[in-house]
Amino acid sequence: MRKLNRGRSTRSIYLSLACLSLALHLLLAFFCLSVLQTACVLPSSSSSPATDALNHESHSSIYSAASSSHQAKDSISGAAEKEKTLISAGKVTQTFKRQSKLEALFKHLLYNLPQPELQEDDWLLRVKPNEHARDTESKEMEKEEAILIDSEWQSASSEEGYDRVTWTSDMETHPPWLRFHLGITRRELYSRNDPNVAQLTHYLATQRILAAVQKPGGTQLKLLMSFPNYGQALLKPMKQPRDAETDVNLFYFSDFERHNAEIAAFHLDRLLGLNRVPPVVGRLINITAEIREVTTDSKLSRTFFTSPAGNVCFHGQCEYYCSTEHPVCGQPHALEVSLAAMLPDLNIAPRRSWRSPWRRSYSRTKLAKWEKDPAYCDTVKQTPPYNHGSRLVDLIDMAVLDFLMSNMDRHHYETFEKFGNETFLLHLDNGRLRQCCKLMIRRSTLLRLRLLSLPDFRLSDVMRESLVQDPLASVAPLLSEPHLSALDRRLATVLQVVQSCQRHHKDVIYNDLEEYDKDHDRQPE
């Protein structure tokens, strides 16, 4: 009997120990699960203390190049502190989990700097009634003018396919392309916050195509497309796969112009904060229905044919690559194209074309002057229109854009005549600096480049995100990953060149943020 009780007691002890062991294992499991869950939760802000420390270290290394200048140490530290303030100011906007890098970029202070108020002469085009002649006209003419001012503008066109347009002095009644024209200023083609840019690209991507003719001039095939409400766009067709890389042995202008390069240039220009490339959008069109059957260009019509594979093709007439050996072909009718918004007609907004001081010689044996003259930069800086105003730093902005795109064929650029030398350069024809340290780069441009080199705003990441907005992104990525990686490498090269220049020269940076500095200095500490 005693042995039986002892056996029961032993079993009770074993059972208690087993229960205790199970409880401990469950407790340990819950503890591990909570630890793992905490580790997997994303931080509420991409600007964590560790990230801030890393960025601070990065900023310190970036600004270390400037410390070799001839200014006093306190001035250098003050300037560097302002730079770090400008770059780090946007981090407070990243407060949501997994926030879009693109949204965070455009909320950053460097993309929202205060600008002087625009004056009447700063607008390229203005809609206003003709009231100046009233003092010298008869009362009868005065009444007639009053009626015209109050009435609506109606197009008298009876051409088939065009909408009967009713535009009033109210800008809301204007089609997107006209609002784009009326929004051009001395500073930029459009404001980054202008909702009409999205409306314009949507218009170009969806509106019915009424006519197509080949655009005269140029070296490669381009078409001028017409839409309802008298809108127009410049079309560049797809001629090779998007991810095709240029043969390193090709001469500078021997590559095809790429439709996706035009689209990418528009997005990159916005990411750099320049806003100087006309809005561009991708579109999938029907070669037969939207080009061949609507064209009135007899020369273009004669170049259409059906390939042995059954695809509809054409080649047009131009200086390069317009032949049956270099056709533009559909699949069998579908064709990817880029459509760029047209600028105002030259009759109402004349433009002036300038030869780039750093254009190529376009000779296989001769070098351009800038390639062999060490003092060439000094010559440029002393030559009109580069010896005053902002023309020189505008040229550097364009050079940075071209380098990031690997566009080596910028032989000309344009400006609006109305604004003279005090205006931006038009970044046109983007289908494809280190030479001198004494050329100045805008401080705002340099700070944005530094910002785009940081992990929180990496150029390749925001470029990828921006390009997803284009309609053709649903077919395939506009830029391949190797192309996006190349942007980061080229950006690093630009920053390295600027740092190197700052170590050996003064006045490398053109300070266009003086007003911000004054406001910053006025703020209480």
Side-chain angles (χ1 to χ4, degrees):
M1 189 69 177
R2 192 174 297 171
K3 289 182 179 179
L4 180 62
N5 290 335
R6 189 180 304 150
R8 289 177 179 175
S9 177
T10 302
R11 284 197 298 272
S12 298
I13 293 172
Y14 287 159
L15 183 60
S16 299
L17 289 174
C19 291
L20 180 61
S21 176
L22 180 61
L24 289 173
H25 278 82
L26 287 173
L27 182 62
L28 181 61
F30 280 121
F31 176 74
C32 292
L33 183 61
S34 64
V35 171
L36 288 173
Q37 184 176 6
T38 304
C40 291
V41 173
L42 290 174
S44 60
S45 170
S46 58
S47 180
S48 64
T51 304
D52 287 340
L54 179 62
N55 288 335
H56 180 77
E57 183 179 351
S58 175
H59 299 333
S60 299
S61 63
I62 287 174
Y63 298 121
S64 62
S67 63
S68 60
S69 66
H70 299 285
Q71 300 177 0
K73 290 184 179 179
D74 54 345
S75 299
I76 295 173
S77 60
E81 188 61 35
K82 291 175 183 177
E83 309 287 275
K84 285 186 279 188
T85 300
L86 275 168
I87 289 183
S88 61
K91 288 184 175 297
V92 297
T93 66
Q94 300 190 51
T95 57
F96 301 100
K97 296 178 182 179
R98 300 180 182 176
Q99 186 188 28
S100 157
K101 286 189 177 184
L102 185 64
E103 290 178 5
L105 180 72
F106 285 148
K107 289 178 183 177
H108 195 281
L109 174 63
L110 286 170
Y111 290 81
N112 297 278
L113 292 167
Q115 296 287 343
E117 184 178 354
L118 289 166
Q119 304 301 312
E120 188 68 25
D121 290 341
D122 291 333
W123 298 92
L124 181 65
L125 304 171
R126 300 299 282 167
V127 178
K128 54 185 178 181
N130 182 14
E131 298 178 343
H132 300 292
R134 289 188 173 186
D135 295 338
T136 58
E137 296 293 338
S138 64
K139 292 182 179 180
E140 184 176 349
M141 286 294 296
E142 236 178 85
K143 292 179 181 179
E144 290 180 4
E145 286 186 1
I147 293 173
L148 289 173
I149 292 167
D150 293 335
S151 66
E152 298 177 337
W153 311 330
Q154 294 188 353
S155 67
S157 174
S158 58
E159 294 181 55
E160 184 178 356
Y162 284 87
D163 296 342
R164 183 169 180 78
V165 183
T166 301
W167 301 338
T168 69
S169 57
D170 182 5
M171 196 169 181
E172 293 300 319
T173 67
H174 300 166
W177 65 265
L178 181 56
R179 292 203 295 272
F180 165 55
H181 289 178
L182 294 175
I184 298 173
T185 69
R186 183 187 301 273
R187 299 176 194 154
E188 54 193 1
L189 280 178
Y190 55 86
S191 169
R192 186 186 60 76
N193 297 314
D194 184 0
N196 185 58
V197 175
Q199 296 170 16
L200 177 57
T201 54
H202 179 74
Y203 170 89
L204 297 177
T206 59
Q207 285 291 308
R208 182 164 50 102
I209 295 174
L210 302 179
V213 296
Q214 184 168 348
K215 187 179 184 300
T219 58
Q220 298 194 32
L221 178 66
K222 304 178 187 70
L223 300 182
L224 190 60
M225 314 300 285
S226 297
F227 304 95
N229 278 351
Y230 301 93
Q232 290 186 316
L234 187 67
L235 179 150
K236 289 190 178 182
M238 180 178 184
K239 300 199 73 171
Q240 61 185 353
R242 297 186 196 177
D243 57 354
E245 295 188 19
T246 302
D247 188 337
V248 295
N249 295 314
L250 284 180
F251 201 56
Y252 301 117
F253 53 85
S254 299
D255 195 14
F256 292 123
E257 290 184 338
R258 304 182 185 221
H259 72 302
N260 59 323
E262 294 290 339
I263 300 168
F266 164 60
H267 288 260
L268 179 60
D269 180 78
R270 291 180 68 241
L271 294 178
L272 296 180
L274 302 178
N275 304 332
R276 300 170 192 174
V277 173
V280 184
V281 68
R283 178 167 175 170
L284 196 64
I285 68 167
N286 184 302
I287 284 185
T288 302
E290 296 180 299
I291 298 181
R292 186 174 190 173
E293 293 180 355
V294 299
T295 186
T296 57
D297 188 334
S298 58
K299 292 182 178 179
L300 179 64
S301 294
R302 288 196 293 268
T303 68
F304 279 86
F305 64 93
T306 302
S307 73
N311 297 322
V312 179
C313 306
F314 70 101
H315 55 75
Q317 297 182 3
C318 60
E319 190 172 346
Y320 295 102
Y321 309 124
C322 284
S323 65
T324 53
E325 291 81 15
H326 304 95
V328 174
C329 296
Q331 298 290 332
H333 300 276
L335 174 68
E336 288 187 20
V337 301
S338 68
L339 292 169
M342 297 294 291
L343 294 174
D345 191 274
L346 292 174
N347 291 322
I348 61 173
R351 302 193 299 271
R352 182 172 178 180
S353 180
W354 304 80
R355 297 182 69 184
S356 171
W358 282 273
R359 63 189 176 277
R360 300 283 178 179
S361 67
Y362 298 105
S363 168
R364 291 172 174 81
T365 57
K366 295 181 181 179
L367 295 176
K369 187 176 180 180
W370 62 269
E371 293 178 291
K372 55 186 179 181
D373 182 3
Y376 184 77
C377 288
D378 294 328
T379 303
V380 171
K381 292 177 71 173
Q382 297 168 11
T383 304
Y386 305 104
N387 59 346
H388 70 282
S390 62
R391 179 64 63 88
L392 190 58
V393 289
D394 284 329
L395 198 64
I396 298 305
D397 282 346
M398 186 168 65
V400 170
L401 177 71
D402 284 340
F403 181 76
L404 293 175
M405 294 188 302
S406 191
N407 179 16
M408 299 181 288
D409 189 29
R410 180 79 66 179
H411 45 83
H412 285 80
Y413 63 88
E414 295 184 16
T415 59
F416 289 111
E417 279 191 4
K418 175 182 177 179
F419 300 135
N421 194 41
E422 300 300 324
T423 186
F424 64 94
L425 313 185
L426 291 165
H427 296 173
L428 305 175
D429 193 11
N430 303 297
R432 308 185 267 253
L433 185 79
R434 185 168 188 153
Q435 194 255 350
C436 179
C437 276
K438 297 179 183 178
L439 291 178
M440 294 181 289
I441 185 171
R442 269 192 175 90
R443 182 174 163 218
S444 60
T445 298
L446 179 59
L447 289 177
R448 284 193 289 266
L449 293 176
R450 286 172 173 165
L451 187 69
L452 290 167
S453 70
L454 300 177
D456 288 344
F457 306 99
R458 185 176 288 109
L459 178 56
S460 58
D461 291 339
V462 292
M463 186 67 169
R464 185 188 300 105
E465 187 178 344
S466 184
L467 288 173
V468 168
Q469 302 170 9
D470 190 87
L472 287 183
S474 61
V475 179
L478 268 298
L479 291 182
S480 65
E481 288 303 312
H483 283 134
L484 292 170
S485 298
L487 283 174
D488 292 333
R489 292 197 306 271
R490 292 167 189 161
L491 174 58
T493 299
V494 172
L495 294 176
Q496 289 170 6
V497 170
V498 175
Q499 283 187 14
S500 177
C501 288
Q502 287 181 293
R503 292 190 189 101
H504 300 94
H505 299 277
K506 297 187 299 181
D507 301 328
V508 174
I509 310 301
Y510 175 82
N511 188 8
D512 60 331
L513 301 177
E514 291 182 356
E515 291 302 318
Y516 171 83
D517 290 341
K518 292 177 183 177
D519 293 340
H520 181 269
D521 291 339
R522 293 192 196 104
Q523 293 178 0
E525 296 183 1

